[in-house]
Every structure is written in C-alpha cells, then in structure tokens.
Amino acid sequence: MLTKHILCYKKYFKNKNISKKLKLTLKNTTIDKMLTYASETGTLTERDREQLNIFERKVYRRILGPVYDNEKENWRTLTNKEIYASIKKPTTIETIRLNRLRWFRHVQRMEENRIPKRVLYMNLGATILRGRPRNRWQDEVRKDGGIVGGEGWQEKVHNRGEWKKLLRTARNHHILHMPME
C-alpha cells in the first residue's frame, strides 16, 4: 500500500511545471514521513537499508533530473556521491537511526514501572533458533549510540542538553551516514 501512495507522486516529480524546490518539499513532507513512520521501534536488515537507499536516490534523481556534462557535451544522470553532496538533508536511514536514539533516551528517562521500559529490559526466555541471530533493537541502539557518543554514551542520555547537542551534531555532520562501497 505504501508503494501505491509513493507511485502516485511519480507524476509530480516528472512534471516540468513544478519547481525542484517544491518537489523536494513534497518529498520531505510526505514520502519521508511515510518511510520513517514508527521507525524508532523497529530494526532494519541490510537488505532493507539497501532498498531504502536505492529508493531515495531514485526519487532524488527524478526530482533533480539529468545534468549537462560540458566535457563530454551530453546529458547524464547524477552519481550517488553527487546526490548526497547536493542534498544537505540527512538520508532516510540516518533519520531512522536518530529517531531510534531519541526513543531510547525517552524510554530511559521513564519510571521503572512503565510498560515500554519494562519491555525494553524484559527477558522472554525463548529458545534461540539455529543460524545467525537476528538483529535486536538493543544491538542497533548500542551500535548507533557508540558511533554518535563514543565511550560512555549511555551516561549522556540522562543529561538532556548534552544528549540533544550530540544528536544535533550527528544530524548536521552526517555521522550516521552509511558510506557506499
């Protein structure tokens, strides 16, 4: 169903009568909100991350259109690096990771008897399946927190000003950006 909603915007992104600025605003206010809805409570597989990045770059290529290459005297599509350099906004994956850290801080500050906090530290005692273990939410948060805050990042959660500054720095400097190979 999500793809049906997103595909309806395709005609707006191809329309030459709509400015690039308006198209970017449309993407930021609708598509990004749909992609990141309730994202702070879930985990992403590597395949999910790849597909989100591919989709996001596809939308940006459609919005920004081809560029004229003076050296070769022809039109070409933007490369991934050119897209990320021209767009100053965090990627969808970065936004999801930052939202996850924001939610973690919110749950950490809750009283011990609140359901979200009890669920976070609950031990289900289920049997472990064979094979590689699945990504857990806590593992993702631990990894992202280590990237953003370094050693002792969990102590920074309790200082609101320091935590906000940490997340703002991570957003502005694209610390959680996953570079492409």
Side-chain angles (χ1 to χ4, degrees), residues 150-164:
E151 294 290 323
W153 67 274
Q154 288 181 326
E155 287 78 37
K156 297 175 184 174
V157 169
H158 301 291
N159 183 344
R160 182 179 181 157
E162 192 174 342
W163 185 253
K164 278 192 165 200

Side-chain angles (χ1 to χ4, degrees), residues 122-136:
M122 184 181 290
N123 185 5
L124 297 176
T127 59
I128 299 174
L129 300 174
R130 285 178 51 182
R132 183 176 182 206
R134 300 185 83 168
N135 264 0
R136 296 181 315 169

Side-chain angles (χ1 to χ4, degrees), residues 80-101:
N80 295 345
K81 289 183 181 179
E82 289 173 329
I83 288 173
Y84 289 127
S86 65
I87 303 299
K88 304 295 184 234
K89 188 182 167 311
T91 65
T92 304
I93 301 298
E94 285 178 283
T95 304
I96 289 171
R97 294 171 87 181
L98 289 167
N99 287 348
R100 196 180 301 137
L101 288 172

Side-chain angles (χ1 to χ4, degrees), residues 90-91 93-95 97-98 101 143-150 165-179:
T91 65
I93 301 298
E94 285 178 283
T95 304
R97 294 171 87 181
L98 289 167
L101 288 172
K143 187 172 90 176
D144 294 342
I147 293 170
V148 169
K165 183 180 175 186
L166 201 68
L167 291 184
R168 194 176 310 116
T169 303
R171 177 180 294 274
N172 293 340
H173 295 291
H174 302 284
I175 292 173
L176 291 173
H177 180 68
M178 295 298 227

